[in-house]
Amino acid sequence: MDIVLATRNAKKIEEIRRMMSGIRVNILSLADFDCPDVQEDADTFEGNAIKKAVAISKCTGHAAVSDDSGLEVDALGGLPGIYSARYAGDGADDASNVRKLLAAMQNVPNESRGARFVCCIALALTDGSIYTFEGEVKGSIALNPEGSSGFGYDPVFYPAGHGITFARMDAGQKDSMSHRRAALEKLKAHLKKIT
Ligand code: IMP
C-alpha cells in the first residue's frame, strides 16, 4: 500500500520511514505531489490530524498519514495544547514559547507542575475510513531551561522517572520514550494487520 505522509518536516519523515521498515507499505512524501497547505484550525490534536490526513488523501488519491502534537500543562488548564507551536503569538519561536511558559508557571509549586506531551496520528484510507492513534509521555515542567538537544519545549520537560530534561537526552533516548513514538507504534501495529 502507498501512504503519503502529510508533513514537510524532514525529521518526521525520516523517523516514520525508519519505523515502517519491515512492513509492506511504500512511504511517499508531499514532495511527490502538488497539494495545497492545510489549515490546522481544529480545536483538538485529533481534529487537526484528521483534517490533514483526509485532505492529503483526497488530493493525492492515496492513503495518508498525518500527526499533530503539543504540550499540555496541568496548571494552565491544558495550555499551550494545540497552540504549542505559536503559544507566544505571531512570529513565536521555541525560545519565546519557552519563556512565555516559564513566566506563566512562575508561581506554580513543584508538586503542581505536571504536564504531558501528546501526539495524535491519523490514517485516512482511500475508501474513506479514518483511524487515529494517540501517544503520550507524562512528566513535569522545569523551573529553568536545561540542555540544548531536541526542539520546542524539550529544555523544560522532565519525563516522569528521569532526572533530566528531554533536551539533555540524546535523540535515541528521547525517541524511545516519546509521545510520537508511542503513537507510531500503534499505527505500525494497525498497518501490520491490514497490509
Ligand atoms: P507539531 O505537531 O510538529 O506541529 O508540533 C507542535 C508544537 O508542539 C511544536 O512546535 C513544539 O512546540 C511542540 N512539540 C511537539 N512535540 C514536541 C517534542 O517532542 N518536544 C518539544 N516540543 C514539542
Side-chain angles (χ1 to χ4, degrees):
M1 175 171 48
D2 288 336
I3 294 184
V4 184
L5 301 183
T7 177
R8 296 184 197 278
N9 180 324
K11 262 186 74 177
K12 282 188 189 173
I13 295 171
E14 220 8 78
E15 184 182 6
I16 295 173
R17 272 194 209 278
R18 267 200 317 274
M19 286 273 307
M20 297 304 152
S21 65
I23 58 173
R24 284 187 299 269
V25 293
N26 179 34
I27 303 287
L28 304 169
S29 88
L30 274 183
D32 302 311
F33 302 91
D34 190 17
C35 295
D37 281 344
V38 182
Q39 280 283 101
E40 292 185 30
D41 55 6
D43 55 8
T44 59
F45 295 116
E46 189 181 40
N48 280 327
I50 289 174
K51 188 175 178 203
K52 281 186 283 183
V54 167
I56 298 304
S57 178
K58 280 194 178 134
C59 167
T60 62
H62 295 289
V65 160
S66 80
D67 78 323
D68 195 34
S69 61
L71 177 69
E72 291 184 343
V73 178
D74 300 343
L76 304 177
L79 286 172
I82 54 165
Y83 308 107
S84 291
R86 52 199 150 101
Y87 183 45
D90 282 344
D93 58 10
D94 288 348
S96 59
N97 285 333
V98 164
R99 268 199 308 276
K100 178 166 177 181
L101 176 64
L102 289 180
M105 298 285 287
Q106 212 173 2
N107 298 317
V108 178
N110 279 343
E111 63 275 16
S112 307
R113 299 181 74 92
R116 66 172 193 150
F117 275 119
V118 189
C119 174
C120 182
I121 292 180
L123 167 68
L125 299 181
T126 49
D127 65 3
S129 53
I130 297 166
Y131 302 85
T132 57
F133 310 93
E134 189 175 293
E136 68 162 10
V137 54
K138 290 197 164 102
S140 59
I141 302 301
L143 295 171
N144 296 297
E146 291 170 29
S148 54
S149 312
F151 71 102
Y153 299 92
D154 282 349
V156 290
F157 185 79
Y158 281 103
H162 297 266
I164 56 173
T165 62
F166 265 169
R168 283 211 196 279
M169 294 183 174
D170 63 39
Q173 192 183 3
K174 179 194 162 185
D175 284 353
S176 70
M177 67 182 80
S178 82
H179 45 310
R180 211 170 341 273
R181 177 62 60 89
L184 277 173
E185 293 283 3
K186 292 180 184 173
L187 168 69
K188 184 175 183 181
H190 182 77
L191 288 172
K192 261 187 185 159
K193 276 193 286 185
I194 66 169
T195 53

mmCIF file of all heavy atoms in Angstrom, residues 9 12 40 67-71 84-85 94 97 117 151-154 166 174 179-180, ligand 1:
data_model
loop_
_atom_site.group_PDB
_atom_site.id
_atom_site.type_symbol
_atom_site.label_atom_id
_atom_site.label_comp_id
_atom_site.label_asym_id
_atom_site.label_seq_id
_atom_site.Cartn_x
_atom_site.Cartn_y
_atom_site.Cartn_z
ATOM 1 N N ASN A 9 8.113 18.068 7.272
ATOM 2 C CA ASN A 9 9.186 18.030 8.263
ATOM 3 C C ASN A 9 10.093 16.814 8.006
ATOM 4 O O ASN A 9 9.700 15.661 8.209
ATOM 5 C CB ASN A 9 8.539 17.954 9.656
ATOM 6 C CG ASN A 9 9.553 17.898 10.777
ATOM 7 O OD1 ASN A 9 10.604 17.295 10.643
ATOM 8 N ND2 ASN A 9 9.205 18.522 11.886
ATOM 9 N N LYS A 12 10.557 14.189 10.784
ATOM 10 C CA LYS A 12 9.407 13.297 10.993
ATOM 11 C C LYS A 12 9.362 12.231 9.901
ATOM 12 O O LYS A 12 9.122 11.057 10.165
ATOM 13 C CB LYS A 12 8.099 14.099 10.958
ATOM 14 C CG LYS A 12 7.815 14.849 12.233
ATOM 15 C CD LYS A 12 6.409 15.442 12.156
ATOM 16 C CE LYS A 12 6.161 16.384 13.317
ATOM 17 N NZ LYS A 12 4.881 17.092 13.184
ATOM 18 N N GLU A 40 -4.420 24.252 10.076
ATOM 19 C CA GLU A 40 -4.633 23.482 11.310
ATOM 20 C C GLU A 40 -5.528 24.294 12.237
ATOM 21 O O GLU A 40 -5.063 24.907 13.186
ATOM 22 C CB GLU A 40 -3.290 23.180 11.985
ATOM 23 C CG GLU A 40 -2.437 22.219 11.188
ATOM 24 C CD GLU A 40 -1.156 21.830 11.920
ATOM 25 O OE1 GLU A 40 -1.140 21.805 13.153
ATOM 26 O OE2 GLU A 40 -0.171 21.556 11.230
ATOM 27 N N ASP A 67 0.154 13.894 11.559
ATOM 28 C CA ASP A 67 0.183 13.934 13.017
ATOM 29 C C ASP A 67 0.027 15.364 13.513
ATOM 30 O O ASP A 67 0.267 16.321 12.781
ATOM 31 C CB ASP A 67 1.486 13.331 13.559
ATOM 32 C CG ASP A 67 2.652 14.294 13.448
ATOM 33 O OD1 ASP A 67 2.733 15.031 12.449
ATOM 34 O OD2 ASP A 67 3.485 14.328 14.363
ATOM 35 N N ASP A 68 -0.420 15.460 14.744
ATOM 36 C CA ASP A 68 -0.424 16.762 15.402
ATOM 37 C C ASP A 68 -0.022 16.509 16.844
ATOM 38 O O ASP A 68 -0.413 15.498 17.432
ATOM 39 C CB ASP A 68 -1.819 17.408 15.325
ATOM 40 C CG ASP A 68 -1.750 18.896 15.670
ATOM 41 O OD1 ASP A 68 -0.732 19.537 15.344
ATOM 42 O OD2 ASP A 68 -2.694 19.417 16.271
ATOM 43 N N SER A 69 0.783 17.401 17.393
ATOM 44 C CA SER A 69 1.293 17.149 18.735
ATOM 45 C C SER A 69 1.483 18.449 19.487
ATOM 46 O O SER A 69 1.432 19.538 18.900
ATOM 47 C CB SER A 69 2.616 16.386 18.657
ATOM 48 O OG SER A 69 3.592 17.140 17.962
ATOM 49 N N GLY A 70 1.698 18.327 20.786
ATOM 50 C CA GLY A 70 1.928 19.521 21.595
ATOM 51 C C GLY A 70 2.050 19.161 23.056
ATOM 52 O O GLY A 70 2.019 17.979 23.434
ATOM 53 N N LEU A 71 2.182 20.208 23.858
ATOM 54 C CA LEU A 71 2.400 20.060 25.297
ATOM 55 C C LEU A 71 1.156 20.529 26.050
ATOM 56 O O LEU A 71 0.669 21.635 25.803
ATOM 57 C CB LEU A 71 3.598 20.945 25.693
ATOM 58 C CG LEU A 71 3.966 20.991 27.173
ATOM 59 C CD1 LEU A 71 4.536 19.644 27.631
ATOM 60 C CD2 LEU A 71 4.987 22.105 27.434
ATOM 61 N N SER A 84 0.675 24.993 20.839
ATOM 62 C CA SER A 84 2.070 24.852 21.278
ATOM 63 C C SER A 84 3.063 25.558 20.360
ATOM 64 O O SER A 84 3.978 26.234 20.827
ATOM 65 C CB SER A 84 2.445 23.370 21.391
ATOM 66 O OG SER A 84 1.748 22.788 22.471
ATOM 67 N N ALA A 85 2.887 25.430 19.050
ATOM 68 C CA ALA A 85 3.881 25.993 18.122
ATOM 69 C C ALA A 85 3.841 27.519 18.113
ATOM 70 O O ALA A 85 4.838 28.171 17.845
ATOM 71 C CB ALA A 85 3.643 25.448 16.713
ATOM 72 N N ASP A 94 10.873 28.723 19.355
ATOM 73 C CA ASP A 94 10.998 27.849 20.530
ATOM 74 C C ASP A 94 11.363 28.652 21.776
ATOM 75 O O ASP A 94 10.778 28.456 22.852
ATOM 76 C CB ASP A 94 12.064 26.766 20.279
ATOM 77 C CG ASP A 94 11.594 25.714 19.289
ATOM 78 O OD1 ASP A 94 10.391 25.683 18.970
ATOM 79 O OD2 ASP A 94 12.449 24.919 18.835
ATOM 80 N N ASN A 97 8.427 30.781 23.076
ATOM 81 C CA ASN A 97 7.388 29.914 23.648
ATOM 82 C C ASN A 97 7.792 29.428 25.041
ATOM 83 O O ASN A 97 6.985 29.423 25.976
ATOM 84 C CB ASN A 97 7.149 28.704 22.738
ATOM 85 C CG ASN A 97 6.348 29.064 21.487
ATOM 86 O OD1 ASN A 97 5.569 30.010 21.493
ATOM 87 N ND2 ASN A 97 6.540 28.298 20.425
ATOM 88 N N PHE A 117 3.286 15.525 27.007
ATOM 89 C CA PHE A 117 3.320 15.696 25.558
ATOM 90 C C PHE A 117 2.329 14.711 24.962
ATOM 91 O O PHE A 117 2.257 13.548 25.393
ATOM 92 C CB PHE A 117 4.700 15.381 24.989
ATOM 93 C CG PHE A 117 5.671 16.523 25.022
ATOM 94 C CD1 PHE A 117 6.857 16.428 25.729
ATOM 95 C CD2 PHE A 117 5.411 17.686 24.316
ATOM 96 C CE1 PHE A 117 7.762 17.477 25.752
ATOM 97 C CE2 PHE A 117 6.306 18.741 24.323
ATOM 98 C CZ PHE A 117 7.489 18.638 25.045
ATOM 99 N N PHE A 151 14.107 20.062 20.391
ATOM 100 C CA PHE A 151 13.447 21.263 19.882
ATOM 101 C C PHE A 151 12.278 21.608 20.813
ATOM 102 O O PHE A 151 12.026 20.909 21.802
ATOM 103 C CB PHE A 151 12.951 21.038 18.454
ATOM 104 C CG PHE A 151 11.777 20.090 18.373
ATOM 105 C CD1 PHE A 151 10.479 20.559 18.197
ATOM 106 C CD2 PHE A 151 11.964 18.719 18.505
ATOM 107 C CE1 PHE A 151 9.387 19.692 18.145
ATOM 108 C CE2 PHE A 151 10.883 17.845 18.454
ATOM 109 C CZ PHE A 151 9.605 18.331 18.268
ATOM 110 N N GLY A 152 11.564 22.668 20.467
ATOM 111 C CA GLY A 152 10.337 23.029 21.174
ATOM 112 C C GLY A 152 10.547 23.166 22.679
ATOM 113 O O GLY A 152 11.446 23.871 23.139
ATOM 114 N N TYR A 153 9.710 22.485 23.432
ATOM 115 C CA TYR A 153 9.720 22.596 24.887
ATOM 116 C C TYR A 153 10.649 21.572 25.549
ATOM 117 O O TYR A 153 10.607 21.419 26.778
ATOM 118 C CB TYR A 153 8.282 22.422 25.411
ATOM 119 C CG TYR A 153 7.334 23.486 24.884
ATOM 120 C CD1 TYR A 153 6.596 23.277 23.717
ATOM 121 C CD2 TYR A 153 7.192 24.709 25.531
ATOM 122 C CE1 TYR A 153 5.735 24.244 23.215
ATOM 123 C CE2 TYR A 153 6.330 25.689 25.045
ATOM 124 C CZ TYR A 153 5.614 25.443 23.887
ATOM 125 O OH TYR A 153 4.772 26.418 23.393
ATOM 126 N N ASP A 154 11.476 20.903 24.785
ATOM 127 C CA ASP A 154 12.372 19.883 25.355
ATOM 128 C C ASP A 154 13.203 20.385 26.537
ATOM 129 O O ASP A 154 13.385 19.648 27.511
ATOM 130 C CB ASP A 154 13.313 19.327 24.269
ATOM 131 C CG ASP A 154 12.618 18.319 23.374
ATOM 132 O OD1 ASP A 154 11.495 17.892 23.705
ATOM 133 O OD2 ASP A 154 13.203 17.945 22.330
ATOM 134 N N PHE A 166 14.251 16.407 28.436
ATOM 135 C CA PHE A 166 14.408 15.837 27.086
ATOM 136 C C PHE A 166 15.617 16.457 26.386
ATOM 137 O O PHE A 166 16.300 15.782 25.613
ATOM 138 C CB PHE A 166 13.146 16.134 26.252
ATOM 139 C CG PHE A 166 12.127 15.016 26.252
ATOM 140 C CD1 PHE A 166 10.844 15.237 25.724
ATOM 141 C CD2 PHE A 166 12.422 13.752 26.739
ATOM 142 C CE1 PHE A 166 9.891 14.218 25.686
ATOM 143 C CE2 PHE A 166 11.475 12.723 26.715
ATOM 144 C CZ PHE A 166 10.210 12.964 26.193
ATOM 145 N N LYS A 174 15.486 9.987 23.774
ATOM 146 C CA LYS A 174 14.201 10.703 23.766
ATOM 147 C C LYS A 174 13.184 9.977 22.884
ATOM 148 O O LYS A 174 12.052 9.738 23.296
ATOM 149 C CB LYS A 174 14.371 12.142 23.275
ATOM 150 C CG LYS A 174 13.039 12.876 23.239
ATOM 151 C CD LYS A 174 13.037 14.168 22.468
ATOM 152 C CE LYS A 174 11.603 14.551 22.123
ATOM 153 N NZ LYS A 174 11.499 15.726 21.270
ATOM 154 N N HIS A 179 6.121 10.681 22.896
ATOM 155 C CA HIS A 179 4.702 10.612 22.549
ATOM 156 C C HIS A 179 4.538 10.206 21.082
ATOM 157 O O HIS A 179 3.653 9.454 20.714
ATOM 158 C CB HIS A 179 4.044 11.967 22.819
ATOM 159 C CG HIS A 179 4.834 13.152 22.321
ATOM 160 N ND1 HIS A 179 6.169 13.323 22.596
ATOM 161 C CD2 HIS A 179 4.491 14.199 21.536
ATOM 162 C CE1 HIS A 179 6.592 14.433 22.013
ATOM 163 N NE2 HIS A 179 5.601 14.977 21.354
ATOM 164 N N ARG A 180 5.442 10.736 20.211
ATOM 165 C CA ARG A 180 5.355 10.424 18.780
ATOM 166 C C ARG A 180 5.634 8.938 18.557
ATOM 167 O O ARG A 180 4.956 8.264 17.789
ATOM 168 C CB ARG A 180 6.372 11.264 18.010
ATOM 169 C CG ARG A 180 5.959 11.619 16.617
ATOM 170 C CD ARG A 180 6.873 12.649 15.949
ATOM 171 N NE ARG A 180 7.688 13.421 16.853
ATOM 172 C CZ ARG A 180 7.283 14.548 17.435
ATOM 173 N NH1 ARG A 180 6.089 15.034 17.208
ATOM 174 N NH2 ARG A 180 8.083 15.191 18.263
HETATM 175 P P1 IMP B 1 3.761 19.727 15.501
HETATM 176 O O1 IMP B 1 2.838 18.626 15.811
HETATM 177 O O2 IMP B 1 5.032 19.256 14.876
HETATM 178 O O3 IMP B 1 3.115 20.856 14.774
HETATM 179 O O4 IMP B 1 4.230 20.307 16.915
HETATM 180 C C1 IMP B 1 3.598 21.389 17.531
HETATM 181 C C2 IMP B 1 4.466 22.001 18.593
HETATM 182 O O5 IMP B 1 4.421 21.211 19.780
HETATM 183 C C3 IMP B 1 5.950 22.113 18.260
HETATM 184 O O6 IMP B 1 6.222 23.292 17.546
HETATM 185 C C4 IMP B 1 6.571 22.157 19.647
HETATM 186 O O7 IMP B 1 6.487 23.464 20.189
HETATM 187 C C5 IMP B 1 5.660 21.247 20.437
HETATM 188 N N1 IMP B 1 6.186 19.865 20.457
HETATM 189 C C6 IMP B 1 5.645 18.776 19.863
HETATM 190 N N2 IMP B 1 6.409 17.693 20.084
HETATM 191 C C7 IMP B 1 7.457 18.112 20.826
HETATM 192 C C8 IMP B 1 8.600 17.450 21.368
HETATM 193 O O8 IMP B 1 8.833 16.252 21.183
HETATM 194 N N3 IMP B 1 9.454 18.219 22.072
HETATM 195 C C9 IMP B 1 9.260 19.551 22.283
HETATM 196 N N4 IMP B 1 8.230 20.220 21.793
HETATM 197 C C10 IMP B 1 7.314 19.504 21.077
#
